Amino acid sequence: NAGVTQTPKFQVLKTGQSMTLQCAQDMNHEYMSWYRQDPGMGLRLIHYSVGAGITDQGEVPNGYNVSRSTTEDFPLRLLSAAPSQTSVYFCASSYYSNQPQHFGDGTRLSIL
Amino acid sequence: GENVEQHPSTLSVQEGDSAVIKCTYSDSASNYFPWYKQELGKGPQLIIDIRSNVGEKKDQRIAVTLNKTAKHFSLHITETQPEDSAVYFCAASGYLRGGYQKVTFGIGTKLQVIP
């Protein structure tokens, strides 16, 4: 049972580039979410999904896009990378509402 | 929206001693309070949670207490061991538009257990 799998683990981008952070879970959880973790700020919710085909914005959605075509996958897209998006990104899933139970090990993203 | 404050930001204890981490929250409607442990290079791991109809919950060496009147909750780790060294996050649930719940995290406490 793999849980929540995030790829890549590390990525360096140049300002203006786009990329997709992948997230997959094998627990058949309906609820999935993306967080970013910055020093001194805890984890902040970017986007979340309550099921396939249903997504909505969290606290800090600007510059990010998501889609949920299957229960298993919830990719996060950076449309035009900016240095302010340098962070560690975590994907989470849960069975009960938006109360994250399982986190992936993160993607460490640096934008130059 | 919900605001969660967590103290202390760092905590050092001798192995075998107890550690206590405290959090306060602002939204009286919050009803779910999880705690996460994050080891270096890993994602947060849910270690214990409590709901507003319960005042205390224990799981082996870990316990969480909740005071809804005062809007604060605490994590207690007894008989600490070196493997307890990590960053601990508290969180409180709140509601987004559309009625969906989300958790708001504290900024974390770095716990160091000294052998």
Side-chain angles (χ1 to χ4, degrees):
Chain A
N1 192 349
V4 178
T5 303
Q6 290 185 240
T7 56
K9 294 188 184 301
F10 303 93
Q11 184 71 48
V12 179
L13 292 177
K14 295 181 179 179
T15 297
Q17 287 184 316
S18 62
M19 80 160 293
T20 299
L21 281 62
Q22 302 291 343
C23 175
Q25 53 95 6
D26 61 359
M27 297 169 283
N28 202 33
H29 286 168
E30 291 295 327
Y31 298 92
M32 297 186 73
S33 45
W34 277 101
Y35 293 84
R36 59 177 290 173
Q37 184 175 37
D38 302 293
M41 302 190 74
L43 289 95
R44 292 181 292 168
L45 181 65
I46 305 172
H47 284 286
Y48 67 98
S49 169
V50 300
I54 307 171
T55 64
D56 205 346
Q57 298 179 350
E59 300 169 84
V60 288
N62 293 340
Y64 307 95
N65 201 358
V66 292
S67 60
R68 183 97 178 269
S69 56
T70 67
T71 299
E72 293 78 20
D73 300 301
F74 190 41
L76 178 72
R77 296 182 185 85
L78 277 71
L79 308 173
S80 177
S84 60
Q85 294 178 304
T86 293
S87 187
V88 183
Y89 291 85
F90 289 99
C91 178
S93 75
S94 59
Y95 182 79
Y96 299 106
S97 187
N98 248 339
Q99 299 166 352
Q101 295 174 292
H102 301 273
F103 281 85
D105 282 339
T107 293
R108 286 144 186 84
L109 182 63
S110 293
I111 299 165
L112 307 176
Chain B
E2 176 66 275
N3 182 47
V4 177
E5 295 189 356
Q6 183 172 348
H7 303 278
S9 56
T10 60
L11 179 61
S12 292
V13 299
Q14 293 289 331
E15 181 178 357
D17 288 349
S18 296
V20 180
I21 302 170
K22 298 182 179 181
C23 290
T24 61
Y25 62 99
S26 61
D27 187 353
S28 57
S30 289
N31 61 3
Y32 174 68
F33 307 91
W35 286 87
Y36 298 88
K37 174 184 181 182
Q38 186 177 27
E39 297 175 338
L40 195 62
K42 298 290 188 180
Q45 176 190 5
L46 177 66
I47 56 172
I48 195 168
D49 56 16
I50 192 168
R51 298 187 185 272
S52 60
N53 58 343
V54 176
E56 183 176 2
K57 184 177 179 180
K58 290 183 179 180
D59 183 3
Q60 299 182 358
R61 296 185 298 108
I62 293 174
V64 58
T65 59
L66 171 65
N67 184 329
K68 284 223 74 180
T69 302
K71 293 186 200 170
H72 65 71
F73 55 113
S74 302
L75 178 71
H76 304 254
I77 305 174
T78 59
E79 301 174 15
T80 53
Q81 301 168 3
E83 52 265 37
D84 294 329
S85 296
V87 178
Y88 291 81
F89 292 94
C90 65
S93 70
Y95 284 90
L96 295 164
R97 62 185 174 278
Y100 298 115
Q101 279 194 313
K102 77 164 184 84
V103 292
T104 299
F105 288 83
I107 64 171
T109 295
K110 184 175 183 179
L111 173 64
Q112 180 184 20
V113 179
I114 304 166

